[in-house]
Amino acid sequence: MMTIGQTILPYLSFTALSSTVAFFLCGLQICHRIKTRGSSEGTSPAPFLLSFLSCGLFIQYGLLKDDSIITYTNGIGCFLQGCYLLYFYKMTRNRKFLNKIIAIELCIIGIVVYWVAHSANSHLTKTTYVGNYCIFLNICSVAAPLFDIGKVVRNKSSESLPFPLCVACFVVCFQWMFYGYIVDDIVILVPNVIATVISILQLSLFIIYPGSPPGVFPEKYEHI
């Protein structure tokens, strides 16, 4: 007899994949602003770089776990982040530094793929190691908003927070948290539990410290 989790899993998988891809498309707005300005000056490539590396490793993790949802979602994410990076590269003046970072990331992904393909370690060991790398990268990503929370508390204003992005982040992370719980995957569950808690804290700040009206996307957050 199917449990409630098993019953809703197909629907949750579809909504998690769809909402995550939609979240990835936020990069189009950043690229549009870069195009409008005529250069990437003032915009950091860090989110694209971190997301590209994270998605690349999660593809390998999804293959090891034989989880098509994880593989497809991060495959799309890796492609989109790669496109954003190419456009950023085209529009930036500091290509020397970017060349080094991209080369390092490609080497990391290549080393992991080679190790998984040729290592004599067990399948469980490979999955554990790759999963741990994925957890580390995801925690690095989800911990970034903590700096913004501190700034809001100090200034007693939520004006610097992008309300639409905070809501979208909560929706996406909550779905993946639930997905990780249903499929009993700690690599998916742990980072998204942390991200969901941080998203709730961010959203609560709009009530505690009202700033700009909901729906306003501060220009300073174009780099997210």
Side-chain angles (χ1 to χ4, degrees):
M1 188 174 180
M2 293 183 67
T3 63
I4 297 177
Q6 291 173 325
T7 302
I8 67 173
L9 184 58
Y11 306 101
L12 179 62
S13 299
F14 176 77
T15 58
L17 189 155
S18 302
S19 60
T20 305
V21 171
F23 192 68
F24 285 144
L25 291 174
C26 289
L28 291 174
Q29 183 182 28
I30 302 175
C31 292
H32 176 70
R33 294 201 181 196
I34 292 175
K35 181 181 179 181
T36 301
R37 289 178 173 180
S39 77
S40 63
E41 187 175 352
T43 302
S44 171
F48 294 154
L49 290 166
L50 187 58
S51 295
F52 180 77
L53 179 59
S54 179
C55 288
L57 293 183
F58 259 109
I59 291 173
Q60 189 63 58
Y61 179 76
L63 292 172
L64 286 168
K65 291 285 290 186
D66 195 24
D67 190 319
S68 59
I69 297 300
I70 294 176
T71 305
Y72 292 151
T73 302
N74 288 281
I76 296 171
C78 195
F79 172 76
L80 289 174
Q81 301 303 326
C83 291
Y84 300 150
L85 272 175
L86 285 174
Y87 186 74
F88 188 95
Y89 184 85
K90 177 184 176 183
M91 301 297 287
T92 190
R93 297 174 182 174
N94 190 16
R95 293 183 179 178
K96 187 175 180 180
F97 173 75
L98 199 56
N99 282 337
K100 294 179 181 179
I101 301 300
I102 293 175
I104 290 172
E105 291 200 347
L106 291 176
C107 284
I108 291 173
I109 294 173
I111 290 171
V112 171
V113 171
Y114 181 85
W115 178 76
V116 169
H118 297 88
S119 173
N121 289 298
S122 66
H123 186 82
L124 177 60
T125 301
K126 295 175 183 178
T127 304
T128 302
Y129 273 105
V130 176
N132 287 337
Y133 297 145
C134 291
I135 289 177
F136 173 75
L137 285 173
N138 263 13
I139 290 178
C140 288
S141 298
V142 302
L146 290 174
F147 296 100
D148 301 317
I149 291 176
K151 183 177 181 180
V152 170
V153 173
R154 288 194 300 271
N155 296 336
K156 299 187 184 303
S157 172
S158 62
E159 188 172 335
S160 61
L161 290 176
F163 183 77
L165 196 63
C166 291
V167 173
C169 187
F170 170 75
V171 172
V172 171
C173 293
F174 181 80
Q175 289 181 94
W176 282 110
M177 178 187 70
F178 199 20
Y179 179 88
Y181 173 76
I182 292 175
V183 301
D184 192 23
D185 191 334
I186 193 172
V187 173
I188 304 298
L189 181 62
V190 170
N192 285 289
V193 167
I194 298 173
T196 300
V197 171
I198 293 175
S199 295
I200 292 173
L201 288 175
Q202 284 183 315
L203 290 172
S204 68
L205 292 176
F206 286 95
I207 300 174
I208 301 172
Y209 302 113
S212 54
V216 174
F217 192 95
E219 185 172 341
K220 64 167 286 187
Y221 271 87
E222 64 179 15
H223 67 283
I224 295 181

